[in-house]
């Protein structure tokens, strides 16, 4: 019998209902075709190829159907875009389901305001636009890796915007990935909203701010906007039980801000959804440490060595280590070393996962 949710409905019911009462994204069928072609190509040309679905970036919660305003979250898609590059390096084909305009693999090195591409360029004496000398080596490396991924059809980029778009895309992709069996890996790094406004309660037009204007959930007299949100169904159990390929590996992320909650919340998620691994991270230390929590009670911390930690304006380095519950467990934390470039924690996470995935496949064969 399938496990039951807190509301008494079997897992899956809530999710089914969600898909009947909320509209799919316009691009869904074209994304489905692209994904089918992508999977088919790899099944035919490299039958041993492992394929990972990386989800990345935040999801929006629109307040109006013709959306002017929406609720959003902080995620820029750094975790997802960076991880996708390391998965490609590990030989995976990558389906990159990302929030539109969030960071993308490879171009992330030269995009957004922190790495504005214009700062990497110069005008030569003969008027040609060139890459500045000090950036040549890195840009060549990035360009080569990007071309390798493109030329070998190893990277499929699929954008979404709202939380509903995301759930429709996730369901379709998981089902399309079924022929991959245990070679499929799910790496769910997108920051998915827990709340949304169901279609039937959503305003069609822009919510008006004045007392005598039409429409709006807000109370006109006080000019407050009171927004009533429903919980998003817990789709992870449905992903595990019915959408994803049998034998596939499913890894989800758990984000917390309170160090004393992180490990227990990760354990709870694992117990509730029966998947393979929860990677826990704190908002303030996520670029330097994560914890792998598995169903055998393991709590394994992965940390960037102190000397290799990139500086971060929003990060709080004193909090590194504060969420650790079981001391004295195995660490990947190589202290010391020379300070070169900041090390990306995804360069530690992804090879570790690739290894776990391979071992799991070997055990199943
Ligand atoms: C994460 O925890 C990601 O690591 C971050 C990455 C969103 C923190 P950035 O984009 O941040 O690099 O700035 N994702 C959270 C995943 C999530 O929302 N999980 C849900 C849950 O735990 C559903 S699987 O309930």
């Amino acid at each position: 019998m399938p496990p039951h949710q807190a509301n008494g409905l079997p897992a899956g019911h809530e999710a089914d209902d969600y898909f009947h009462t909320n509209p799919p994204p316009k691009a869904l069928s074209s994304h489905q075709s692209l994904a089918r072609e992508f999977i088919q190509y790899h099944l035919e040309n490299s039958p041993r190829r492992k394929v990972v679905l990386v989800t990345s970036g935040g999801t929006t919660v629109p307040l109006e159907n013709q959306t002017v305003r929406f609720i959003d979250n902080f995620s820029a898609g750094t975790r997802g875009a960076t991880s996708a590059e390391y998965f490609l390096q590990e030989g995976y084909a990558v389906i990159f389901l990302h929030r539109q305009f969030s960071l993308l693999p490879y171009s992330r090195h030269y995009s957004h305001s922190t790495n504005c591409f214009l700062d990497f360029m110069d005008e030569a004496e003969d008027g040609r636009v060139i890459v500045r000398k000090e950036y040549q080596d890195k840009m060549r490396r990035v360009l080569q890796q990007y071309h390798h991924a493109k030329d070998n059809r190893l990277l499929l980029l699929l954008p979404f915007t709202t939380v509903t778009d995301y759930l429709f895309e996730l369901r379709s992709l998981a089902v399309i990935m079924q022929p991959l069996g245990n070679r499929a890996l799910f790496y769910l790094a997108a920051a998915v909203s827990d709340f949304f406004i169901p279609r039937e309660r959503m305003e069609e037009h822009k919510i008006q701010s004045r007392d005598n204007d039409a429409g709006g959930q807000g109370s006109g007299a006080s000019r407050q906007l009171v927004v009533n949100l429903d919980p998003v169904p817990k789709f992870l159990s449905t992903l595990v039980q019915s959408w994803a390929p049998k034998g596939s590996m499913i890894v989800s992320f758990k984000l917390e801000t309170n160090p004393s909650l992180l490990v227990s919340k990760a354990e709870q998620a694992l117990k509730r959804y029966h998947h393979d691994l929860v990677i826990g991270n704190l908002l303030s230390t996520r670029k330097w440490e994560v914890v792998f929590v598995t169903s055998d009670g393991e709590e394994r911390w992965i940390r960037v060595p102190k000397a290799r930690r990139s500086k971060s304006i929003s990060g709080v380095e004193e909090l590194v280590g504060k969420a650790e519950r079981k001391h004295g467990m195995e660490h990947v934390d190589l202290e010391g070393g020379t300070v070169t470039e900041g090390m990306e924690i995804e360069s530690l996470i992804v090879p570790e996962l690739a290894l776990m995935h391979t071992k799991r496949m070997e055990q199943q064969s």
Side-chain angles (χ1 to χ4, degrees):
M1 221 175 66
H4 282 63
Q5 309 276 312
N7 63 9
L9 287 172
H13 265 224
E14 270 190 317
D16 281 350
D17 207 39
Y18 188 92
F19 292 113
H20 284 123
T21 51
N22 293 284
K26 291 201 173 68
L28 186 65
S29 64
S30 79
H31 287 177
Q32 287 170 329
S33 308
L34 289 168
R36 270 191 213 102
E37 273 169 35
F38 186 80
I39 302 287
Q40 202 50 38
Y41 175 82
H42 289 293
L43 283 171
E44 280 165 17
N45 293 281
S46 37
R48 291 166 61 87
R49 171 91 60 202
K50 293 188 282 183
V51 179
V52 61
L53 172 64
V54 175
T55 72
S56 183
T59 56
T60 69
V61 177
L63 302 188
E64 302 121 343
N65 191 36
Q66 295 190 38
T67 309
V68 175
R69 302 187 187 93
F70 52 84
I71 300 173
D72 203 352
N73 64 50
F74 71 95
S75 171
T78 312
R79 173 83 78 229
T82 311
S83 301
E85 286 179 24
Y86 289 105
F87 275 117
L88 287 158
Q89 215 161 294
E90 290 290 327
Y92 279 79
V94 176
I95 301 176
F96 189 66
L97 180 62
H98 64 284
R99 163 75 178 281
Q100 189 178 32
F101 308 131
S102 65
L103 292 174
L104 294 176
Y106 306 118
S107 72
R108 75 181 168 102
H109 299 278
Y110 308 105
S111 63
H112 292 47
S113 51
T114 43
N115 285 322
C116 173
F117 74 100
L118 292 171
D119 292 333
F120 294 81
M121 327 259 274
D122 241 337
E123 193 180 335
E125 278 175 13
D126 61 3
R128 281 180 313 127
V129 174
I130 54 162
V131 171
R132 292 171 66 153
K133 213 164 144 217
E134 62 271 39
Y135 301 122
Q136 289 277 339
D137 287 345
K138 182 175 174 194
M139 198 177 278
R140 187 178 309 103
R141 270 200 319 272
V142 173
L143 197 62
Q144 283 168 353
Q145 289 173 7
Y146 172 66
H147 282 157
H148 177 263
K150 238 181 128 173
D151 296 347
N152 294 287
R153 295 178 62 174
L154 288 166
L155 179 59
L156 177 64
L157 304 178
L158 301 175
F160 64 82
T161 304
T162 70
V163 61
T164 302
D165 296 351
Y166 170 81
L167 291 176
F168 270 99
E169 297 274 357
L170 179 67
R171 178 177 71 160
S172 290
L173 291 171
V175 172
I176 290 169
M177 287 167 76
Q178 283 180 4
L180 292 165
N182 63 8
R183 272 172 296 132
L185 171 62
F186 291 79
Y187 184 82
L188 307 174
V192 183
S193 174
D194 288 326
F195 302 99
F196 80 117
I197 301 180
R199 181 66 189 91
E200 83 252 13
R201 283 216 317 271
M202 202 189 290
E203 295 292 336
E204 175 60 25
H205 293 286
K206 183 186 164 210
I207 297 171
Q208 298 296 316
S209 62
R210 304 234 178 97
D211 300 2
N212 51 358
D213 283 342
Q217 293 194 336
S219 141
S222 62
R223 292 202 186 170
Q224 286 179 330
L225 175 65
V226 179
V227 184
N228 191 356
L229 301 169
D230 277 12
V232 169
K234 294 295 177 197
F235 61 90
L236 237 169
S237 53
T238 326
L239 176 76
V240 175
Q241 285 169 42
S242 55
W243 304 338
K246 296 287 159 267
S248 60
M249 179 164 161
I250 301 181
V251 179
S252 74
F253 277 80
K254 176 55 83 187
L255 172 70
E256 291 296 338
T257 54
N258 182 344
S260 61
L261 285 183
L262 182 64
V263 176
S264 57
K265 289 293 234 175
E267 283 175 347
Q268 235 176 55
L270 209 55
K271 274 203 194 100
R272 186 170 295 164
Y273 306 120
H274 308 283
H275 55 306
D276 299 281
L277 175 71
V278 176
I279 303 182
N281 53 181
L282 289 176
L283 184 65
S284 52
T285 60
R286 69 189 189 281
K287 293 193 193 304
W288 307 311
E289 66 171 1
V290 298
V291 58
F292 279 22
V293 176
T294 51
S295 55
D296 51 18
E298 202 186 10
E299 172 187 330
R300 182 149 58 109
W301 286 89
I302 292 191
R303 292 201 175 97
V304 172
K306 212 170 174 42
R308 302 286 309 272
R309 286 179 198 154
S310 57
K311 292 289 155 264
S312 151
I313 299 166
S314 56
V316 185
E317 206 177 342
E318 304 81 73
L319 283 180
V320 170
K322 289 288 186 289
E324 195 165 324
R325 215 180 45 178
K326 298 177 188 166
H327 294 277
M329 301 200 69
E330 188 190 344
H331 283 59
V332 178
D333 184 4
L334 316 160
E335 286 294 338
T338 44
V339 184
T340 48
E341 228 180 305
M343 178 189 267
E344 295 176 317
I345 193 163
E346 293 79 6
S347 72
L348 302 173
I349 298 173
V350 170
E352 199 59 31
L353 282 183
L355 207 67
M356 288 169 77
H357 190 195
T358 306
K359 275 195 194 146
R360 199 171 179 282
M361 286 167 59
E362 283 166 1
Q363 280 163 4
Q364 286 171 350
S365 62

PDB file of all heavy atoms in Angstrom, residues 49-68:
ATOM      1  N   ARG A  49      25.942   5.400 -21.262  1.00  0.00           N
ATOM      2  CA  ARG A  49      26.021   6.776 -20.760  1.00  0.00           C
ATOM      3  C   ARG A  49      25.056   7.002 -19.587  1.00  0.00           C
ATOM      4  O   ARG A  49      23.887   6.640 -19.658  1.00  0.00           O
ATOM      5  CB  ARG A  49      25.672   7.733 -21.909  1.00  0.00           C
ATOM      6  CG  ARG A  49      25.490   9.162 -21.522  1.00  0.00           C
ATOM      7  CD  ARG A  49      26.728  10.008 -21.603  1.00  0.00           C
ATOM      8  NE  ARG A  49      27.305  10.078 -22.930  1.00  0.00           N
ATOM      9  CZ  ARG A  49      28.584  10.389 -23.160  1.00  0.00           C
ATOM     10  NH1 ARG A  49      29.409  10.613 -22.142  1.00  0.00           N
ATOM     11  NH2 ARG A  49      29.037  10.456 -24.389  1.00  0.00           N
ATOM     12  N   LYS A  50      25.556   7.601 -18.532  1.00  0.00           N
ATOM     13  CA  LYS A  50      24.673   7.974 -17.422  1.00  0.00           C
ATOM     14  C   LYS A  50      24.093   9.363 -17.721  1.00  0.00           C
ATOM     15  O   LYS A  50      24.765  10.204 -18.329  1.00  0.00           O
ATOM     16  CB  LYS A  50      25.461   7.992 -16.107  1.00  0.00           C
ATOM     17  CG  LYS A  50      25.914   6.585 -15.693  1.00  0.00           C
ATOM     18  CD  LYS A  50      26.528   6.564 -14.315  1.00  0.00           C
ATOM     19  CE  LYS A  50      27.937   7.080 -14.303  1.00  0.00           C
ATOM     20  NZ  LYS A  50      28.604   7.018 -12.996  1.00  0.00           N
ATOM     21  N   VAL A  51      22.864   9.556 -17.320  1.00  0.00           N
ATOM     22  CA  VAL A  51      22.192  10.834 -17.598  1.00  0.00           C
ATOM     23  C   VAL A  51      21.682  11.418 -16.280  1.00  0.00           C
ATOM     24  O   VAL A  51      21.028  10.720 -15.502  1.00  0.00           O
ATOM     25  CB  VAL A  51      21.000  10.640 -18.569  1.00  0.00           C
ATOM     26  CG1 VAL A  51      20.295  11.976 -18.830  1.00  0.00           C
ATOM     27  CG2 VAL A  51      21.468  10.018 -19.881  1.00  0.00           C
ATOM     28  N   VAL A  52      21.999  12.685 -16.048  1.00  0.00           N
ATOM     29  CA  VAL A  52      21.523  13.337 -14.824  1.00  0.00           C
ATOM     30  C   VAL A  52      20.555  14.461 -15.163  1.00  0.00           C
ATOM     31  O   VAL A  52      20.779  15.212 -16.115  1.00  0.00           O
ATOM     32  CB  VAL A  52      22.704  13.864 -13.967  1.00  0.00           C
ATOM     33  CG1 VAL A  52      23.541  14.906 -14.680  1.00  0.00           C
ATOM     34  CG2 VAL A  52      22.212  14.440 -12.632  1.00  0.00           C
ATOM     35  N   LEU A  53      19.469  14.518 -14.410  1.00  0.00           N
ATOM     36  CA  LEU A  53      18.590  15.679 -14.480  1.00  0.00           C
ATOM     37  C   LEU A  53      18.984  16.592 -13.328  1.00  0.00           C
ATOM     38  O   LEU A  53      18.837  16.233 -12.155  1.00  0.00           O
ATOM     39  CB  LEU A  53      17.119  15.265 -14.342  1.00  0.00           C
ATOM     40  CG  LEU A  53      16.137  16.434 -14.208  1.00  0.00           C
ATOM     41  CD1 LEU A  53      16.110  17.301 -15.457  1.00  0.00           C
ATOM     42  CD2 LEU A  53      14.724  15.942 -13.902  1.00  0.00           C
ATOM     43  N   VAL A  54      19.519  17.758 -13.688  1.00  0.00           N
ATOM     44  CA  VAL A  54      19.886  18.760 -12.676  1.00  0.00           C
ATOM     45  C   VAL A  54      18.792  19.824 -12.675  1.00  0.00           C
ATOM     46  O   VAL A  54      18.491  20.396 -13.725  1.00  0.00           O
ATOM     47  CB  VAL A  54      21.249  19.413 -13.014  1.00  0.00           C
ATOM     48  CG1 VAL A  54      21.566  20.545 -12.041  1.00  0.00           C
ATOM     49  CG2 VAL A  54      22.365  18.376 -13.018  1.00  0.00           C
ATOM     50  N   THR A  55      18.173  20.069 -11.524  1.00  0.00           N
ATOM     51  CA  THR A  55      17.220  21.175 -11.453  1.00  0.00           C
ATOM     52  C   THR A  55      17.906  22.333 -10.742  1.00  0.00           C
ATOM     53  O   THR A  55      18.711  22.130  -9.839  1.00  0.00           O
ATOM     54  CB  THR A  55      15.916  20.785 -10.721  1.00  0.00           C
ATOM     55  OG1 THR A  55      16.177  20.653  -9.320  1.00  0.00           O
ATOM     56  CG2 THR A  55      15.328  19.498 -11.272  1.00  0.00           C
ATOM     57  N   SER A  56      17.568  23.558 -11.163  1.00  0.00           N
ATOM     58  CA  SER A  56      18.386  24.688 -10.715  1.00  0.00           C
ATOM     59  C   SER A  56      17.610  25.998 -10.676  1.00  0.00           C
ATOM     60  O   SER A  56      16.772  26.265 -11.535  1.00  0.00           O
ATOM     61  CB  SER A  56      19.553  24.816 -11.699  1.00  0.00           C
ATOM     62  OG  SER A  56      20.428  25.829 -11.308  1.00  0.00           O
ATOM     63  N   GLY A  57      17.909  26.804  -9.655  1.00  0.00           N
ATOM     64  CA  GLY A  57      17.314  28.139  -9.577  1.00  0.00           C
ATOM     65  C   GLY A  57      16.026  28.156  -8.757  1.00  0.00           C
ATOM     66  O   GLY A  57      15.533  27.115  -8.328  1.00  0.00           O
ATOM     67  N   GLY A  58      15.491  29.336  -8.582  1.00  0.00           N
ATOM     68  CA  GLY A  58      14.263  29.480  -7.801  1.00  0.00           C
ATOM     69  C   GLY A  58      13.024  29.289  -8.658  1.00  0.00           C
ATOM     70  O   GLY A  58      13.105  29.219  -9.886  1.00  0.00           O
ATOM     71  N   THR A  59      11.872  29.171  -8.001  1.00  0.00           N
ATOM     72  CA  THR A  59      10.604  29.089  -8.727  1.00  0.00           C
ATOM     73  C   THR A  59       9.776  30.313  -8.333  1.00  0.00           C
ATOM     74  O   THR A  59       9.821  30.722  -7.178  1.00  0.00           O
ATOM     75  CB  THR A  59       9.813  27.830  -8.324  1.00  0.00           C
ATOM     76  OG1 THR A  59       9.634  27.834  -6.911  1.00  0.00           O
ATOM     77  CG2 THR A  59      10.529  26.568  -8.746  1.00  0.00           C
ATOM     78  N   THR A  60       9.018  30.844  -9.271  1.00  0.00           N
ATOM     79  CA  THR A  60       8.156  31.974  -8.897  1.00  0.00           C
ATOM     80  C   THR A  60       6.758  31.479  -8.532  1.00  0.00           C
ATOM     81  O   THR A  60       6.334  30.408  -8.967  1.00  0.00           O
ATOM     82  CB  THR A  60       7.999  33.010 -10.031  1.00  0.00           C
ATOM     83  OG1 THR A  60       7.233  32.438 -11.096  1.00  0.00           O
ATOM     84  CG2 THR A  60       9.331  33.491 -10.552  1.00  0.00           C
ATOM     85  N   VAL A  61       6.064  32.296  -7.751  1.00  0.00           N
ATOM     86  CA  VAL A  61       4.662  32.057  -7.413  1.00  0.00           C
ATOM     87  C   VAL A  61       3.898  33.290  -7.878  1.00  0.00           C
ATOM     88  O   VAL A  61       3.920  34.333  -7.215  1.00  0.00           O
ATOM     89  CB  VAL A  61       4.513  31.881  -5.885  1.00  0.00           C
ATOM     90  CG1 VAL A  61       3.059  31.708  -5.503  1.00  0.00           C
ATOM     91  CG2 VAL A  61       5.343  30.704  -5.403  1.00  0.00           C
ATOM     92  N   PRO A  62       3.255  33.211  -9.052  1.00  0.00           N
ATOM     93  CA  PRO A  62       2.565  34.395  -9.578  1.00  0.00           C
ATOM     94  C   PRO A  62       1.358  34.767  -8.725  1.00  0.00           C
ATOM     95  O   PRO A  62       0.680  33.890  -8.196  1.00  0.00           O
ATOM     96  CB  PRO A  62       2.093  33.952 -10.968  1.00  0.00           C
ATOM     97  CG  PRO A  62       2.735  32.646 -11.233  1.00  0.00           C
ATOM     98  CD  PRO A  62       3.156  32.056  -9.937  1.00  0.00           C
ATOM     99  N   LEU A  63       1.107  36.076  -8.622  1.00  0.00           N
ATOM    100  CA  LEU A  63      -0.070  36.549  -7.892  1.00  0.00           C
ATOM    101  C   LEU A  63      -1.230  36.822  -8.853  1.00  0.00           C
ATOM    102  O   LEU A  63      -2.363  36.965  -8.420  1.00  0.00           O
ATOM    103  CB  LEU A  63       0.241  37.834  -7.110  1.00  0.00           C
ATOM    104  CG  LEU A  63       1.367  37.767  -6.082  1.00  0.00           C
ATOM    105  CD1 LEU A  63       1.418  39.056  -5.268  1.00  0.00           C
ATOM    106  CD2 LEU A  63       1.199  36.570  -5.153  1.00  0.00           C
ATOM    107  N   GLU A  64      -0.913  36.952 -10.145  1.00  0.00           N
ATOM    108  CA  GLU A  64      -1.962  37.200 -11.138  1.00  0.00           C
ATOM    109  C   GLU A  64      -1.709  36.281 -12.326  1.00  0.00           C
ATOM    110  O   GLU A  64      -0.556  35.930 -12.598  1.00  0.00           O
ATOM    111  CB  GLU A  64      -1.889  38.652 -11.638  1.00  0.00           C
ATOM    112  CG  GLU A  64      -2.016  39.706 -10.566  1.00  0.00           C
ATOM    113  CD  GLU A  64      -0.802  40.633 -10.507  1.00  0.00           C
ATOM    114  OE1 GLU A  64       0.262  40.273 -11.073  1.00  0.00           O
ATOM    115  OE2 GLU A  64      -0.902  41.697  -9.880  1.00  0.00           O
ATOM    116  N   ASN A  65      -2.797  35.930 -13.041  1.00  0.00           N
ATOM    117  CA  ASN A  65      -2.612  35.076 -14.213  1.00  0.00           C
ATOM    118  C   ASN A  65      -1.845  35.832 -15.296  1.00  0.00           C
ATOM    119  O   ASN A  65      -0.919  35.291 -15.903  1.00  0.00           O
ATOM    120  CB  ASN A  65      -3.967  34.592 -14.728  1.00  0.00           C
ATOM    121  CG  ASN A  65      -3.798  33.507 -15.767  1.00  0.00           C
ATOM    122  OD1 ASN A  65      -2.889  32.680 -15.662  1.00  0.00           O
ATOM    123  ND2 ASN A  65      -4.641  33.524 -16.783  1.00  0.00           N
ATOM    124  N   GLN A  66      -2.256  37.068 -15.579  1.00  0.00           N
ATOM    125  CA  GLN A  66      -1.432  37.908 -16.464  1.00  0.00           C
ATOM    126  C   GLN A  66      -0.447  38.581 -15.518  1.00  0.00           C
ATOM    127  O   GLN A  66      -0.716  39.643 -14.966  1.00  0.00           O
ATOM    128  CB  GLN A  66      -2.310  38.913 -17.208  1.00  0.00           C
ATOM    129  CG  GLN A  66      -3.281  38.196 -18.149  1.00  0.00           C
ATOM    130  CD  GLN A  66      -3.994  39.145 -19.088  1.00  0.00           C
ATOM    131  OE1 GLN A  66      -3.410  40.114 -19.580  1.00  0.00           O
ATOM    132  NE2 GLN A  66      -5.252  38.877 -19.344  1.00  0.00           N
ATOM    133  N   THR A  67       0.692  37.927 -15.359  1.00  0.00           N
ATOM    134  CA  THR A  67       1.525  38.182 -14.180  1.00  0.00           C
ATOM    135  C   THR A  67       2.329  39.475 -14.251  1.00  0.00           C
ATOM    136  O   THR A  67       3.185  39.641 -15.118  1.00  0.00           O
ATOM    137  CB  THR A  67       2.510  37.009 -13.968  1.00  0.00           C
ATOM    138  OG1 THR A  67       1.754  35.804 -13.985  1.00  0.00           O
ATOM    139  CG2 THR A  67       3.243  37.140 -12.642  1.00  0.00           C
ATOM    140  N   VAL A  68       2.032  40.348 -13.307  1.00  0.00           N
ATOM    141  CA  VAL A  68       2.856  41.535 -13.085  1.00  0.00           C
ATOM    142  C   VAL A  68       3.702  41.298 -11.844  1.00  0.00           C
ATOM    143  O   VAL A  68       4.889  41.579 -11.814  1.00  0.00           O
ATOM    144  CB  VAL A  68       1.974  42.787 -12.899  1.00  0.00           C
ATOM    145  CG1 VAL A  68       2.818  44.003 -12.533  1.00  0.00           C
ATOM    146  CG2 VAL A  68       1.183  43.059 -14.178  1.00  0.00           C
TER     147      VAL A  68
END
